[in-house]
Amino acid sequence: MQKIAMKTPLVEMDGDEMTRVIWKWIKETLLEPYIDLKTEYYDLGLPQREKTGDQVTIDAAKATEKYGVAVKCATITPNAQRVEEYNLTKMWKSPNATIRALLDGTVFRAPITVRGVEPSVRTWKAPITIARHAYGDVYKNTEVKIPGAGKVELVYTAQDGTQTRELVHAFEGPGIVQGQHNVDASISSFARACFAYALDTKQDLWFSTKDTISKVYDHNFKDIFAEIYETEYKEKFEALGIEYFYTLIDDAVARVIRSKGGFIWALKNYDGDVMSDMVATAFGSLSMMTSVLVSPKGYYEYEAAHGTVTRHYYRYLKGEETGTNPVATIFAWTGALRKRGELDGLADLSAFADKLEKATIDTIESGVMTGDLAAMYAGEKQAVNCRQFLAAIAQRL
Ligand code: NAP
Ligand code: MG
């Protein structure tokens, strides 16, 4: 059989623990037999990040700017315990945060749906994609405990020294206060990433905040989205027959529950954090969530939403087979390959991505799946380990 050819390499970012093991298996059983796989390889595994002083992460992000499409394996974000376990010289930053900062991106998360694992919300028929703004608000806050009576003010000092003051509260007793910020440049990037992704995936875009209460802060988000939509995207949306609308977050929550799904829901940082966990859980499981970082400049980085599945890795190291679900990692590869195919005009490559996704879904819908899905699956089923599951997909493919 002639293998499918590629033009431009994918930026391949390898990772850690169980997902690193699965990464290799996926390439061996599902990709390399069919594709003349071209990648520029970056090892983002923790030992290599330590060895290069995390330069490898920066190089991988820069390569993504050069080539446009990356696929990333889950990686360890070091904490104190990992510093000891891996004998690290430094508690390296989260690779995802480093890459996001360099590419200035927005993260889109969407569930992979299969028949037999029904969403908790009966009306949902198609996936709901969450677009979460990944900068500022409560994640970059300043908090102060107020010990007793006194006045708290916001003070803005301009570069020429002039000051503007706004009373927060005149305390009569102890309390708490919090300062938050965001910047127009980041909000604008977020808006453009959302509009571009809606066009790319041909889905409606919803955006919601609490602008009725937060008349300056949240209203600023609403205004920036509206302005960019009107001036840059409205015609393109109309030509494609998709819709952008803004609605108050309370209204959005009610509408999302009543909806059939099949749209993108853009949210501020905190709202996106909370709602993505709710949507993921209601659709099934984190092991079935895809994640893609889209930069406003048109770079894409695909990954699974879950972590390195540490508990399974320790069992694997003892020689045990594990029921780790590889679906989200397979879909990270298919997402990247399909996008590479689109950008390079390689219809075969994009078609292969579609076929691999279909083979994966069909395998599950035939009743063969890993344990995490079997626990939720209604119908006849056989729980298999990760390798058996990959073999079943390969056979179908
Ligand atoms: P996790 O790796 O997502 O795993 C948490 C638990 O969820 C697992 O122990 C497993 O439950 C279940 N699970 C997750 N993915 C699964 C899969 N594909 N198949 C079957 N079960 C799955 O999260 P974590 O344990 O909190 O974090 C582990 C490491 O991953 C940490 O070092 C963290 O820094 C890193 N992390 C990386 C990313 C990323 O690179 N994007 C994201 C999150 C976390 P059972 O054990 O009950 O089977
Ligand atoms: Mg969260």
Side-chain angles (χ1 to χ4, degrees):
M1 196 191 85
Q2 176 110 28
K3 288 193 190 180
I4 298 165
M6 291 179 67
K7 269 188 209 154
T8 317
L10 279 179
V11 178
E12 176 184 355
M13 307 182 191
D14 207 345
D16 290 297
E17 301 193 312
M18 200 62 212
T19 39
R20 185 181 181 96
V21 175
I22 293 177
W23 193 258
K24 192 160 158 279
W25 290 347
I26 290 173
K27 284 173 67 180
E28 284 169 4
T29 57
L30 300 176
L31 304 176
E32 284 162 353
Y34 309 100
I35 304 173
D36 204 358
L37 201 62
K38 256 196 191 177
T39 74
E40 192 162 295
Y41 180 85
Y42 292 86
D43 184 0
L44 265 56
L46 191 47
Q48 191 63 15
R49 278 182 275 151
E50 165 70 20
K51 206 168 140 198
T52 62
D54 210 21
Q55 185 61 36
V56 66
T57 308
I58 294 162
D59 292 345
K62 292 212 173 118
T64 308
E65 285 185 323
K66 179 173 170 196
Y67 294 114
V69 186
V71 56
K72 180 181 168 292
C73 179
T75 47
I76 293 169
T77 299
N79 54 17
Q81 183 260 320
R82 298 295 198 170
V83 169
E84 207 168 295
E85 181 183 355
Y86 282 82
N87 202 6
L88 303 179
T89 51
K90 212 174 142 183
M91 203 184 288
W92 304 108
K93 262 176 49 181
S94 146
N96 290 45
T98 303
I99 294 165
R100 203 155 52 217
L102 284 164
L103 300 183
D104 185 17
T106 298
V107 175
F108 296 86
R109 293 202 156 170
I112 301 155
T113 52
V114 290
R115 256 198 326 268
V117 181
E118 300 306 326
S120 316
V121 180
R122 271 172 295 137
T123 50
W124 290 357
K125 298 296 172 213
I128 295 169
T129 302
I130 300 278
R132 171 185 171 188
H133 186 211
Y135 177 82
D137 303 348
V138 74
Y139 300 83
K140 286 254 182 216
N141 70 358
T142 307
E143 303 181 320
V144 182
K145 218 166 155 52
I146 305 298
K151 196 169 68 171
V152 174
E153 290 176 306
L154 289 178
V155 184
Y156 164 63
T157 310
Q159 276 181 328
D160 68 5
T162 50
Q163 292 195 329
T164 321
R165 288 168 179 273
E166 207 54 63
L167 180 69
V168 175
H169 192 63
F171 284 88
E172 289 174 4
I176 40 179
V177 70
Q178 178 184 70
Q180 295 187 22
H181 81 277
N182 221 301
V183 292
D184 287 1
S186 175
I187 301 168
S188 303
S189 291
F190 171 47
R192 289 196 177 92
C194 290
F195 291 127
Y197 195 71
L199 288 173
D200 195 33
T201 60
K202 300 178 190 64
Q203 296 184 86
D204 289 345
L205 175 67
W206 303 17
F207 180 45
S208 51
T209 73
K210 191 72 178 172
D211 68 293
T212 48
I213 298 298
S214 174
K215 291 189 195 315
V216 174
Y217 198 107
D218 279 16
H219 214 283
N220 188 53
F221 279 80
K222 179 183 174 179
D223 290 345
I224 288 175
F225 265 71
E227 153 112 44
I228 290 176
Y229 178 67
E230 289 297 325
T231 55
E232 298 173 31
Y233 290 96
K234 191 169 186 219
E235 279 171 22
K236 292 177 195 153
F237 268 58
E238 285 171 357
L240 211 59
I242 58 172
E243 193 186 4
Y244 165 66
F245 74 89
Y246 174 88
T247 185
L248 196 62
I249 189 151
D250 328 32
D251 179 49
V253 168
R255 284 202 204 190
V256 164
I257 297 296
R258 286 196 309 262
S259 78
K260 293 199 180 84
F263 56 89
I264 302 160
W265 187 13
L267 291 156
K268 286 175 59 200
N269 211 347
Y270 171 83
D271 301 336
D273 184 356
V274 177
M275 290 301 162
S276 68
D277 280 358
M278 187 197 74
V279 168
T281 309
F283 268 106
S285 143
L286 205 59
S287 59
M288 297 289 280
M289 277 299 262
T290 61
S291 183
V292 55
L293 176 75
V294 181
S295 104
K297 294 174 211 124
Y299 314 130
Y300 295 81
E301 184 231 298
Y302 294 85
E303 65 169 339
H306 59 77
T308 59
V309 211
T310 311
R311 282 204 292 266
H312 293 211
Y313 182 58
Y314 292 150
R315 292 211 297 274
Y316 165 81
L317 288 180
K318 282 196 247 157
E320 292 172 31
E321 290 291 343
T322 68
T324 319
N325 185 341
V327 171
T329 306
I330 294 172
F331 275 61
W333 275 100
T334 52
L337 289 168
R338 182 185 297 107
K339 178 55 72 184
R340 200 62 273 169
E342 280 170 27
L343 295 176
D344 290 349
L346 299 172
D348 279 4
L349 193 61
S350 299
F352 174 80
D354 293 345
K355 284 176 194 163
L356 177 50
E357 288 184 0
K358 186 168 181 331
T360 305
I361 302 280
D362 287 352
T363 301
I364 298 168
E365 291 181 348
S366 78
V368 178
M369 65 201 76
T370 50
D372 58 321
L373 282 182
M376 296 182 293
Y377 189 80
E380 286 237 2
K381 62 205 162 190
Q382 185 194 354
V384 295
N385 65 44
C386 182
R387 265 204 276 218
Q388 291 167 328
F389 182 59
L390 290 173
I393 298 170
Q395 196 172 24
R396 202 167 274 274
L397 185 64

